[in-house]
Amino acid sequence: MTLEVRLRPEAELDLADAAFWYETQQSGLGRQFLGEALAVFSTLAESPQLYPVVHRNARRALLRRFPFGVY
């Protein structure tokens, strides 16, 4: 069963801001950041149990290369 992943508007802004910042640091890095975030969203939708519960029913997935977590 695939779950729906929904982003709050604030989270969308955070992703866009971070991607822009990474892109200013190195060309292509912003796209890599967004690609990794999308991969985490996909894995969360397919297998949320892979990630630990950090508060009540909320789980946290950490991006591998970038210091960001998805709740």
Side-chain angles (χ1 to χ4, degrees):
M1 176 174 83
T2 301
L3 300 175
E4 179 183 6
V5 174
R6 290 178 278 166
L7 293 178
R8 292 182 175 180
E10 300 89 353
E12 289 182 16
L13 286 174
D14 283 347
L15 283 171
D17 287 346
F20 177 78
W21 186 85
Y22 281 119
E23 194 63 29
T24 63
Q25 302 306 302
Q26 180 180 339
S27 180
L29 196 57
R31 286 189 301 276
Q32 291 175 27
F33 167 76
L34 289 176
E36 188 169 331
L38 291 174
V40 167
F41 297 152
S42 178
T43 304
L44 271 170
E46 293 291 328
S47 303
Q49 70 281 359
L50 291 176
Y51 301 101
V53 173
V54 292
H55 180 71
R56 297 188 183 178
N57 292 330
R59 295 179 181 271
R60 181 181 67 192
L62 298 175
L63 277 68
R64 291 178 189 246
R65 285 185 56 202
F66 301 94
F68 279 84
V70 177
Y71 291 85

Short mmCIF file of all heavy atoms in Angstrom, two decimals:
data_model
loop_
_atom_site.label_atom_id
_atom_site.label_comp_id
_atom_site.label_asym_id
_atom_site.label_seq_id
_atom_site.Cartn_x
_atom_site.Cartn_y
_atom_site.Cartn_z
N MET A 1 0.83 -1.18 0.00
CA MET A 1 0.00 0.00 0.00
C MET A 1 0.89 1.25 0.00
O MET A 1 1.80 1.37 0.81
CB MET A 1 -0.89 -0.01 1.24
CG MET A 1 -1.73 1.23 1.37
SD MET A 1 -2.90 1.18 2.72
CE MET A 1 -1.87 1.68 4.07
N THR A 2 0.61 2.16 -0.88
CA THR A 2 1.36 3.41 -0.96
C THR A 2 0.57 4.51 -0.26
O THR A 2 -0.61 4.72 -0.54
CB THR A 2 1.60 3.81 -2.43
OG1 THR A 2 2.32 2.77 -3.07
CG2 THR A 2 2.38 5.10 -2.51
N LEU A 3 1.23 5.18 0.66
CA LEU A 3 0.61 6.29 1.38
C LEU A 3 0.79 7.59 0.61
O LEU A 3 1.71 7.73 -0.19
CB LEU A 3 1.23 6.42 2.77
CG LEU A 3 1.10 5.21 3.68
CD1 LEU A 3 1.86 5.45 4.98
CD2 LEU A 3 -0.36 4.91 3.97
N GLU A 4 -0.07 8.54 0.90
CA GLU A 4 0.04 9.86 0.29
C GLU A 4 0.99 10.72 1.11
O GLU A 4 0.88 10.79 2.34
CB GLU A 4 -1.34 10.52 0.25
CG GLU A 4 -1.32 11.90 -0.34
CD GLU A 4 -2.68 12.57 -0.30
OE1 GLU A 4 -3.62 12.01 0.28
OE2 GLU A 4 -2.80 13.67 -0.85
N VAL A 5 1.93 11.35 0.44
CA VAL A 5 2.84 12.28 1.09
C VAL A 5 2.37 13.68 0.75
O VAL A 5 2.24 14.03 -0.42
CB VAL A 5 4.29 12.07 0.63
CG1 VAL A 5 5.20 13.14 1.21
CG2 VAL A 5 4.78 10.68 1.03
N ARG A 6 2.07 14.46 1.77
CA ARG A 6 1.61 15.84 1.56
C ARG A 6 2.60 16.81 2.18
O ARG A 6 3.07 16.58 3.30
CB ARG A 6 0.24 16.05 2.21
CG ARG A 6 -0.87 15.32 1.48
CD ARG A 6 -2.18 15.51 2.17
NE ARG A 6 -2.20 14.52 3.27
CZ ARG A 6 -3.05 14.53 4.27
NH1 ARG A 6 -3.96 15.48 4.37
NH2 ARG A 6 -3.01 13.60 5.20
N LEU A 7 2.90 17.85 1.46
CA LEU A 7 3.81 18.89 1.97
C LEU A 7 3.01 20.11 2.38
O LEU A 7 2.16 20.58 1.62
CB LEU A 7 4.82 19.29 0.91
CG LEU A 7 5.84 18.26 0.49
CD1 LEU A 7 6.72 18.82 -0.61
CD2 LEU A 7 6.68 17.84 1.67
N ARG A 8 3.32 20.61 3.53
CA ARG A 8 2.73 21.88 3.95
C ARG A 8 3.38 22.99 3.14
O ARG A 8 4.53 22.86 2.71
CB ARG A 8 2.96 22.12 5.43
CG ARG A 8 2.22 21.15 6.29
CD ARG A 8 2.44 21.45 7.75
NE ARG A 8 1.62 20.58 8.56
CZ ARG A 8 1.61 20.61 9.87
NH1 ARG A 8 2.38 21.45 10.53
NH2 ARG A 8 0.83 19.79 10.54
N PRO A 9 2.68 24.09 2.96
CA PRO A 9 3.27 25.21 2.20
C PRO A 9 4.61 25.68 2.79
O PRO A 9 5.52 26.01 2.05
CB PRO A 9 2.21 26.32 2.29
CG PRO A 9 0.92 25.58 2.49
CD PRO A 9 1.28 24.36 3.30
N GLU A 10 4.73 25.64 4.12
CA GLU A 10 5.98 26.04 4.76
C GLU A 10 7.11 25.09 4.37
O GLU A 10 8.25 25.51 4.18
CB GLU A 10 5.83 26.06 6.28
CG GLU A 10 4.79 27.02 6.81
CD GLU A 10 3.39 26.41 6.91
OE1 GLU A 10 3.17 25.28 6.46
OE2 GLU A 10 2.51 27.10 7.44
N ALA A 11 6.80 23.80 4.28
CA ALA A 11 7.82 22.82 3.90
C ALA A 11 8.24 23.02 2.44
O ALA A 11 9.41 22.88 2.11
CB ALA A 11 7.28 21.40 4.11
N GLU A 12 7.28 23.34 1.58
CA GLU A 12 7.61 23.61 0.18
C GLU A 12 8.55 24.80 0.07
O GLU A 12 9.51 24.77 -0.71
CB GLU A 12 6.34 23.85 -0.63
CG GLU A 12 5.52 22.60 -0.86
CD GLU A 12 4.30 22.86 -1.71
OE1 GLU A 12 4.22 23.92 -2.38
OE2 GLU A 12 3.42 21.98 -1.71
N LEU A 13 8.29 25.84 0.87
CA LEU A 13 9.17 27.01 0.87
C LEU A 13 10.55 26.66 1.39
O LEU A 13 11.56 27.12 0.84
CB LEU A 13 8.56 28.14 1.71
CG LEU A 13 7.39 28.88 1.10
CD1 LEU A 13 6.80 29.88 2.10
CD2 LEU A 13 7.81 29.60 -0.16
N ASP A 14 10.62 25.85 2.44
CA ASP A 14 11.91 25.42 2.98
C ASP A 14 12.71 24.66 1.92
O ASP A 14 13.91 24.88 1.76
CB ASP A 14 11.74 24.53 4.20
CG ASP A 14 11.38 25.30 5.46
OD1 ASP A 14 11.50 26.55 5.46
OD2 ASP A 14 10.98 24.65 6.45
N LEU A 15 12.05 23.76 1.20
CA LEU A 15 12.73 23.00 0.15
C LEU A 15 13.24 23.92 -0.96
O LEU A 15 14.37 23.78 -1.41
CB LEU A 15 11.79 21.95 -0.44
CG LEU A 15 11.57 20.70 0.37
CD1 LEU A 15 10.46 19.86 -0.24
CD2 LEU A 15 12.84 19.89 0.49
N ALA A 16 12.40 24.84 -1.38
CA ALA A 16 12.79 25.77 -2.45
C ALA A 16 13.95 26.65 -2.00
O ALA A 16 14.91 26.85 -2.75
CB ALA A 16 11.60 26.62 -2.87
N ASP A 17 13.88 27.15 -0.77
CA ASP A 17 14.97 28.00 -0.25
C ASP A 17 16.27 27.22 -0.15
O ASP A 17 17.34 27.72 -0.52
CB ASP A 17 14.61 28.56 1.13
CG ASP A 17 13.55 29.64 1.09
OD1 ASP A 17 13.26 30.17 -0.01
OD2 ASP A 17 13.00 29.96 2.16
N ALA A 18 16.19 26.00 0.36
CA ALA A 18 17.40 25.18 0.50
C ALA A 18 17.98 24.84 -0.87
O ALA A 18 19.20 24.91 -1.07
CB ALA A 18 17.08 23.91 1.27
N ALA A 19 17.12 24.48 -1.82
CA ALA A 19 17.60 24.15 -3.17
C ALA A 19 18.28 25.36 -3.80
O ALA A 19 19.34 25.23 -4.42
CB ALA A 19 16.44 23.67 -4.04
N PHE A 20 17.71 26.53 -3.61
CA PHE A 20 18.31 27.76 -4.15
C PHE A 20 19.68 27.99 -3.51
O PHE A 20 20.65 28.29 -4.20
CB PHE A 20 17.39 28.95 -3.92
CG PHE A 20 17.98 30.24 -4.39
CD1 PHE A 20 17.98 30.58 -5.73
CD2 PHE A 20 18.55 31.13 -3.48
CE1 PHE A 20 18.55 31.76 -6.17
CE2 PHE A 20 19.11 32.31 -3.91
CZ PHE A 20 19.11 32.63 -5.26
N TRP A 21 19.74 27.84 -2.19
CA TRP A 21 21.01 28.06 -1.49
C TRP A 21 22.07 27.08 -1.98
O TRP A 21 23.19 27.47 -2.28
CB TRP A 21 20.82 27.93 0.02
CG TRP A 21 22.06 28.29 0.77
CD1 TRP A 21 22.47 29.54 1.14
CD2 TRP A 21 23.10 27.39 1.20
NE1 TRP A 21 23.68 29.47 1.78
CE2 TRP A 21 24.09 28.16 1.83
CE3 TRP A 21 23.27 26.01 1.12
CZ2 TRP A 21 25.24 27.60 2.39
CZ3 TRP A 21 24.41 25.45 1.67
CH2 TRP A 21 25.38 26.23 2.29
N TYR A 22 21.73 25.80 -2.07
CA TYR A 22 22.69 24.81 -2.55
C TYR A 22 23.13 25.11 -3.98
O TYR A 22 24.29 24.94 -4.32
CB TYR A 22 22.12 23.39 -2.45
CG TYR A 22 22.19 22.82 -1.06
CD1 TYR A 22 21.03 22.46 -0.37
CD2 TYR A 22 23.40 22.65 -0.41
CE1 TYR A 22 21.09 21.94 0.91
CE2 TYR A 22 23.47 22.13 0.87
CZ TYR A 22 22.31 21.78 1.53
OH TYR A 22 22.38 21.28 2.80
N GLU A 23 22.20 25.57 -4.79
CA GLU A 23 22.54 25.88 -6.19
C GLU A 23 23.51 27.06 -6.25
O GLU A 23 24.37 27.10 -7.13
CB GLU A 23 21.27 26.17 -6.99
CG GLU A 23 21.44 26.17 -8.46
CD GLU A 23 21.87 24.83 -9.05
OE1 GLU A 23 21.55 23.76 -8.49
OE2 GLU A 23 22.55 24.85 -10.09
N THR A 24 23.40 28.01 -5.32
CA THR A 24 24.33 29.14 -5.30
C THR A 24 25.72 28.71 -4.83
O THR A 24 26.71 29.37 -5.14
CB THR A 24 23.83 30.30 -4.42
OG1 THR A 24 23.73 29.86 -3.08
CG2 THR A 24 22.49 30.83 -4.92
N GLN A 25 25.77 27.61 -4.09
CA GLN A 25 27.06 27.11 -3.62
C GLN A 25 27.82 26.36 -4.71
O GLN A 25 29.03 26.47 -4.82
CB GLN A 25 26.87 26.18 -2.41
CG GLN A 25 26.16 26.84 -1.23
CD GLN A 25 26.82 28.12 -0.79
OE1 GLN A 25 28.00 28.14 -0.44
NE2 GLN A 25 26.07 29.22 -0.83
N GLN A 26 27.05 25.61 -5.51
CA GLN A 26 27.66 24.82 -6.59
C GLN A 26 26.58 24.49 -7.62
O GLN A 26 25.50 24.01 -7.25
CB GLN A 26 28.27 23.53 -6.04
CG GLN A 26 28.91 22.67 -7.09
CD GLN A 26 29.49 21.40 -6.49
OE1 GLN A 26 29.75 21.32 -5.30
NE2 GLN A 26 29.68 20.41 -7.32
N SER A 27 26.87 24.73 -8.85
CA SER A 27 25.92 24.46 -9.92
C SER A 27 25.52 22.98 -9.91
O SER A 27 26.37 22.10 -9.87
CB SER A 27 26.53 24.83 -11.27
OG SER A 27 25.61 24.56 -12.30
N GLY A 28 24.22 22.73 -9.92
CA GLY A 28 23.69 21.37 -9.93
C GLY A 28 23.40 20.80 -8.56
O GLY A 28 22.68 19.81 -8.43
N LEU A 29 23.96 21.41 -7.51
CA LEU A 29 23.77 20.89 -6.16
C LEU A 29 22.32 21.04 -5.69
O LEU A 29 21.80 20.18 -4.98
CB LEU A 29 24.73 21.56 -5.19
CG LEU A 29 24.94 20.89 -3.84
CD1 LEU A 29 25.41 19.45 -4.00
CD2 LEU A 29 25.93 21.68 -3.00
N GLY A 30 21.68 22.11 -6.09
CA GLY A 30 20.27 22.31 -5.74
C GLY A 30 19.40 21.22 -6.32
O GLY A 30 18.50 20.70 -5.65
N ARG A 31 19.67 20.84 -7.56
CA ARG A 31 18.92 19.74 -8.20
C ARG A 31 19.19 18.42 -7.49
O ARG A 31 18.28 17.60 -7.33
CB ARG A 31 19.26 19.64 -9.68
CG ARG A 31 18.65 20.75 -10.52
CD ARG A 31 18.85 20.49 -12.02
NE ARG A 31 20.27 20.38 -12.38
CZ ARG A 31 21.06 21.40 -12.66
NH1 ARG A 31 20.57 22.63 -12.62
NH2 ARG A 31 22.33 21.22 -12.99
N GLN A 32 20.42 18.21 -7.08
CA GLN A 32 20.75 16.99 -6.35
C GLN A 32 20.00 16.94 -5.01
O GLN A 32 19.49 15.89 -4.61
CB GLN A 32 22.26 16.89 -6.12
CG GLN A 32 23.03 16.64 -7.38
CD GLN A 32 24.54 16.66 -7.15
OE1 GLN A 32 25.01 16.37 -6.05
NE2 GLN A 32 25.29 17.03 -8.17
N PHE A 33 19.94 18.08 -4.34
CA PHE A 33 19.20 18.16 -3.08
C PHE A 33 17.74 17.80 -3.29
O PHE A 33 17.18 16.96 -2.57
CB PHE A 33 19.33 19.56 -2.48
CG PHE A 33 18.37 19.81 -1.35
CD1 PHE A 33 18.59 19.26 -0.10
CD2 PHE A 33 17.24 20.59 -1.56
CE1 PHE A 33 17.69 19.48 0.93
CE2 PHE A 33 16.34 20.82 -0.53
CZ PHE A 33 16.57 20.26 0.72
N LEU A 34 17.11 18.41 -4.30
CA LEU A 34 15.70 18.12 -4.55
C LEU A 34 15.49 16.67 -4.97
O LEU A 34 14.51 16.04 -4.56
CB LEU A 34 15.15 19.06 -5.64
CG LEU A 34 14.98 20.51 -5.21
CD1 LEU A 34 14.53 21.36 -6.40
CD2 LEU A 34 13.98 20.62 -4.06
N GLY A 35 16.40 16.12 -5.74
CA GLY A 35 16.31 14.72 -6.12
C GLY A 35 16.36 13.79 -4.92
O GLY A 35 15.60 12.82 -4.84
N GLU A 36 17.25 14.10 -3.99
CA GLU A 36 17.33 13.27 -2.79
C GLU A 36 16.07 13.42 -1.93
O GLU A 36 15.57 12.44 -1.39
CB GLU A 36 18.57 13.63 -1.97
CG GLU A 36 18.78 12.67 -0.83
CD GLU A 36 20.12 12.81 -0.15
OE1 GLU A 36 21.09 13.22 -0.80
OE2 GLU A 36 20.18 12.51 1.05
N ALA A 37 15.56 14.64 -1.83
CA ALA A 37 14.32 14.85 -1.07
C ALA A 37 13.17 14.07 -1.71
O ALA A 37 12.40 13.41 -1.00
CB ALA A 37 13.99 16.34 -1.00
N LEU A 38 13.05 14.11 -3.02
CA LEU A 38 11.98 13.37 -3.70
C LEU A 38 12.13 11.87 -3.49
O LEU A 38 11.14 11.15 -3.34
CB LEU A 38 11.96 13.70 -5.19
CG LEU A 38 11.51 15.12 -5.54
CD1 LEU A 38 11.67 15.38 -7.03
CD2 LEU A 38 10.07 15.34 -5.10
N ALA A 39 13.36 11.38 -3.47
CA ALA A 39 13.60 9.95 -3.22
C ALA A 39 13.14 9.57 -1.82
O ALA A 39 12.54 8.50 -1.62
CB ALA A 39 15.07 9.61 -3.42
N VAL A 40 13.39 10.44 -0.85
CA VAL A 40 12.94 10.17 0.52
C VAL A 40 11.42 10.18 0.58
O VAL A 40 10.81 9.31 1.23
CB VAL A 40 13.55 11.19 1.51
CG1 VAL A 40 12.86 11.12 2.87
CG2 VAL A 40 15.03 10.92 1.68
N PHE A 41 10.77 11.12 -0.10
CA PHE A 41 9.31 11.16 -0.12
C PHE A 41 8.75 9.86 -0.70
O PHE A 41 7.78 9.30 -0.19
CB PHE A 41 8.78 12.33 -0.95
CG PHE A 41 9.16 13.69 -0.43
CD1 PHE A 41 9.29 14.74 -1.29
CD2 PHE A 41 9.40 13.91 0.91
CE1 PHE A 41 9.64 16.01 -0.85
CE2 PHE A 41 9.76 15.16 1.38
CZ PHE A 41 9.87 16.22 0.50
N SER A 42 9.37 9.38 -1.76
CA SER A 42 8.92 8.15 -2.39
C SER A 42 9.07 6.96 -1.45
O SER A 42 8.16 6.13 -1.32
CB SER A 42 9.71 7.92 -3.68
OG SER A 42 9.33 6.72 -4.28
N THR A 43 10.21 6.87 -0.78
CA THR A 43 10.43 5.77 0.15
C THR A 43 9.47 5.86 1.33
O THR A 43 8.94 4.84 1.79
CB THR A 43 11.88 5.76 0.66
OG1 THR A 43 12.76 5.68 -0.47
CG2 THR A 43 12.15 4.57 1.56
N LEU A 44 9.21 7.07 1.81
CA LEU A 44 8.24 7.25 2.89
C LEU A 44 6.86 6.75 2.47
O LEU A 44 6.16 6.11 3.26
CB LEU A 44 8.14 8.72 3.27
CG LEU A 44 9.07 9.23 4.34
CD1 LEU A 44 9.00 10.74 4.43
CD2 LEU A 44 8.76 8.60 5.67
N ALA A 45 6.47 7.05 1.25
CA ALA A 45 5.15 6.64 0.77
C ALA A 45 5.06 5.12 0.65
O ALA A 45 4.02 4.52 0.96
CB ALA A 45 4.85 7.29 -0.58
N GLU A 46 6.14 4.49 0.21
CA GLU A 46 6.14 3.04 -0.01
C GLU A 46 6.39 2.24 1.27
O GLU A 46 5.79 1.19 1.47
CB GLU A 46 7.22 2.67 -1.04
CG GLU A 46 6.93 3.17 -2.43
CD GLU A 46 5.75 2.49 -3.09
OE1 GLU A 46 5.51 1.30 -2.81
OE2 GLU A 46 5.06 3.16 -3.88
N SER A 47 7.29 2.72 2.12
CA SER A 47 7.70 1.94 3.30
C SER A 47 7.95 2.85 4.51
O SER A 47 9.09 3.00 4.96
CB SER A 47 8.99 1.17 2.99
OG SER A 47 8.82 0.34 1.88
N PRO A 48 6.92 3.46 5.05
CA PRO A 48 7.13 4.39 6.17
C PRO A 48 7.73 3.71 7.40
O PRO A 48 8.41 4.37 8.19
CB PRO A 48 5.74 4.94 6.45
CG PRO A 48 4.80 3.95 5.86
CD PRO A 48 5.52 3.33 4.70
N GLN A 49 7.50 2.43 7.55
CA GLN A 49 8.00 1.71 8.73
C GLN A 49 9.53 1.63 8.76
O GLN A 49 10.11 1.27 9.79
CB GLN A 49 7.40 0.32 8.83
CG GLN A 49 7.86 -0.66 7.79
CD GLN A 49 7.22 -0.52 6.41
OE1 GLN A 49 6.36 0.34 6.20
NE2 GLN A 49 7.65 -1.33 5.48
N LEU A 50 10.19 1.98 7.68
CA LEU A 50 11.66 1.99 7.66
C LEU A 50 12.23 3.08 8.56
O LEU A 50 13.40 3.02 8.94
CB LEU A 50 12.19 2.21 6.24
CG LEU A 50 11.98 1.09 5.24
CD1 LEU A 50 12.47 1.51 3.86
CD2 LEU A 50 12.69 -0.17 5.70
N TYR A 51 11.42 4.08 8.87
CA TYR A 51 11.90 5.24 9.61
C TYR A 51 11.37 5.21 11.04
O TYR A 51 10.24 4.79 11.29
CB TYR A 51 11.48 6.52 8.90
CG TYR A 51 12.02 6.57 7.50
CD1 TYR A 51 11.23 6.25 6.40
CD2 TYR A 51 13.36 6.86 7.26
CE1 TYR A 51 11.73 6.27 5.11
CE2 TYR A 51 13.88 6.87 5.97
CZ TYR A 51 13.06 6.57 4.91
OH TYR A 51 13.57 6.58 3.64
N PRO A 52 12.17 5.69 11.99
CA PRO A 52 11.76 5.61 13.39
C PRO A 52 10.66 6.63 13.74
O PRO A 52 10.60 7.72 13.18
CB PRO A 52 13.05 5.95 14.15
CG PRO A 52 13.82 6.81 13.21
CD PRO A 52 13.50 6.28 11.83
N VAL A 53 9.83 6.23 14.68
CA VAL A 53 8.83 7.13 15.25
C VAL A 53 9.58 8.04 16.21
O VAL A 53 10.33 7.56 17.08
CB VAL A 53 7.72 6.35 15.97
CG1 VAL A 53 6.78 7.31 16.70
CG2 VAL A 53 6.96 5.46 15.00
N VAL A 54 9.40 9.35 16.05
CA VAL A 54 10.12 10.29 16.93
C VAL A 54 9.18 11.02 17.89
O VAL A 54 9.64 11.57 18.88
CB VAL A 54 10.95 11.30 16.11
CG1 VAL A 54 12.10 10.60 15.41
CG2 VAL A 54 10.10 12.07 15.13
N HIS A 55 7.89 11.02 17.58
CA HIS A 55 6.91 11.66 18.47
C HIS A 55 5.52 11.16 18.08
O HIS A 55 5.11 11.31 16.92
CB HIS A 55 6.98 13.18 18.35
CG HIS A 55 6.01 13.89 19.24
ND1 HIS A 55 6.16 13.92 20.60
CD2 HIS A 55 4.88 14.57 18.96
CE1 HIS A 55 5.16 14.62 21.13
NE2 HIS A 55 4.38 15.01 20.15
N ARG A 56 4.85 10.55 19.03
CA ARG A 56 3.53 9.97 18.79
C ARG A 56 3.55 9.11 17.54
O ARG A 56 4.22 8.10 17.51
CB ARG A 56 2.48 11.05 18.74
CG ARG A 56 2.35 11.78 20.07
CD ARG A 56 1.21 12.71 20.09
NE ARG A 56 1.21 13.40 21.37
CZ ARG A 56 0.35 14.32 21.68
NH1 ARG A 56 -0.60 14.66 20.83
NH2 ARG A 56 0.42 14.91 22.84
N ASN A 57 2.87 9.53 16.47
CA ASN A 57 2.84 8.76 15.23
C ASN A 57 3.72 9.36 14.15
O ASN A 57 3.67 8.93 12.99
CB ASN A 57 1.41 8.64 14.70
CG ASN A 57 0.55 7.80 15.60
OD1 ASN A 57 1.03 6.88 16.25
ND2 ASN A 57 -0.73 8.11 15.66
N ALA A 58 4.51 10.36 14.49
CA ALA A 58 5.34 11.03 13.49
C ALA A 58 6.67 10.29 13.33
O ALA A 58 7.35 9.97 14.30
CB ALA A 58 5.61 12.48 13.91
N ARG A 59 7.03 10.06 12.08
CA ARG A 59 8.30 9.41 11.76
C ARG A 59 9.24 10.44 11.15
O ARG A 59 8.79 11.45 10.61
CB ARG A 59 8.07 8.26 10.78
CG ARG A 59 7.25 7.14 11.38
CD ARG A 59 7.03 6.03 10.39
NE ARG A 59 6.23 4.98 10.97
CZ ARG A 59 6.72 3.94 11.65
NH1 ARG A 59 8.03 3.81 11.79
NH2 ARG A 59 5.93 3.03 12.15
N ARG A 60 10.54 10.16 11.23
CA ARG A 60 11.52 11.08 10.67
C ARG A 60 12.45 10.32 9.73
O ARG A 60 13.05 9.32 10.10
CB ARG A 60 12.35 11.74 11.75
CG ARG A 60 13.37 12.73 11.18
CD ARG A 60 14.21 13.36 12.24
NE ARG A 60 15.05 12.32 12.82
CZ ARG A 60 15.74 12.47 13.94
NH1 ARG A 60 15.70 13.60 14.60
NH2 ARG A 60 16.48 11.49 14.41
N ALA A 61 12.59 10.87 8.53
CA ALA A 61 13.52 10.34 7.54
C ALA A 61 14.59 11.40 7.31
O ALA A 61 14.26 12.56 7.04
CB ALA A 61 12.80 10.02 6.24
N LEU A 62 15.85 11.01 7.45
CA LEU A 62 16.95 11.95 7.23
C LEU A 62 17.49 11.78 5.82
O LEU A 62 17.63 10.66 5.33
CB LEU A 62 18.07 11.69 8.24
CG LEU A 62 17.70 11.89 9.71
CD1 LEU A 62 18.86 11.48 10.60
CD2 LEU A 62 17.27 13.31 9.97
N LEU A 63 17.78 12.90 5.18
CA LEU A 63 18.44 12.85 3.88
C LEU A 63 19.89 12.42 4.12
O LEU A 63 20.47 12.74 5.15
CB LEU A 63 18.40 14.21 3.19
CG LEU A 63 17.11 14.53 2.43
CD1 LEU A 63 15.92 14.72 3.35
CD2 LEU A 63 17.31 15.75 1.57
N ARG A 64 20.45 11.71 3.19
CA ARG A 64 21.80 11.17 3.37
C ARG A 64 22.90 12.23 3.24
O ARG A 64 23.76 12.34 4.08
CB ARG A 64 22.07 10.06 2.37
CG ARG A 64 21.26 8.83 2.64
CD ARG A 64 21.52 7.77 1.59
NE ARG A 64 20.59 6.68 1.74
CZ ARG A 64 20.94 5.47 2.09
NH1 ARG A 64 22.19 5.17 2.30
NH2 ARG A 64 20.03 4.52 2.19
N ARG A 65 22.87 13.00 2.17
CA ARG A 65 23.96 13.94 1.90
C ARG A 65 23.72 15.32 2.48
O ARG A 65 24.65 16.12 2.54
CB ARG A 65 24.13 14.12 0.39
CG ARG A 65 24.79 12.97 -0.30
CD ARG A 65 25.03 13.29 -1.77
NE ARG A 65 25.82 14.50 -1.95
CZ ARG A 65 25.82 15.20 -3.07
NH1 ARG A 65 25.09 14.84 -4.09
NH2 ARG A 65 26.57 16.29 -3.18
N PHE A 66 22.51 15.62 2.86
CA PHE A 66 22.17 16.99 3.26
C PHE A 66 21.58 16.96 4.67
O PHE A 66 20.87 16.02 5.04
CB PHE A 66 21.17 17.58 2.27
CG PHE A 66 21.68 17.62 0.86
CD1 PHE A 66 21.40 16.58 -0.03
CD2 PHE A 66 22.47 18.67 0.41
CE1 PHE A 66 21.89 16.59 -1.33
CE2 PHE A 66 22.95 18.70 -0.88
CZ PHE A 66 22.66 17.66 -1.75
N PRO A 67 21.84 18.00 5.46
CA PRO A 67 21.36 18.01 6.84
C PRO A 67 19.89 18.42 6.95
O PRO A 67 19.54 19.48 7.47
CB PRO A 67 22.28 19.04 7.52
CG PRO A 67 22.61 20.00 6.41
CD PRO A 67 22.69 19.15 5.16
N PHE A 68 19.01 17.56 6.43
CA PHE A 68 17.58 17.82 6.46
C PHE A 68 16.85 16.56 6.88
O PHE A 68 17.28 15.44 6.55
CB PHE A 68 17.07 18.24 5.07
CG PHE A 68 17.33 19.70 4.78
CD1 PHE A 68 18.55 20.09 4.29
CD2 PHE A 68 16.35 20.64 5.00
CE1 PHE A 68 18.82 21.41 4.04
CE2 PHE A 68 16.61 21.97 4.74
CZ PHE A 68 17.83 22.36 4.25
N GLY A 69 15.76 16.75 7.60
CA GLY A 69 14.89 15.65 7.97
C GLY A 69 13.49 15.91 7.45
O GLY A 69 13.05 17.04 7.33
N VAL A 70 12.81 14.82 7.14
CA VAL A 70 11.42 14.88 6.68
C VAL A 70 10.59 14.19 7.74
O VAL A 70 10.88 13.06 8.14
CB VAL A 70 11.27 14.15 5.32
CG1 VAL A 70 9.81 14.14 4.88
CG2 VAL A 70 12.14 14.79 4.27
N TYR A 71 9.55 14.88 8.20
CA TYR A 71 8.67 14.33 9.26
C TYR A 71 7.33 14.00 8.66
O TYR A 71 6.84 14.65 7.79
CB TYR A 71 8.48 15.35 10.38
CG TYR A 71 9.74 15.58 11.16
CD1 TYR A 71 10.70 16.49 10.73
CD2 TYR A 71 9.97 14.88 12.33
CE1 TYR A 71 11.87 16.69 11.43
CE2 TYR A 71 11.14 15.08 13.04
CZ TYR A 71 12.06 15.99 12.60
OH TYR A 71 13.23 16.19 13.31
#
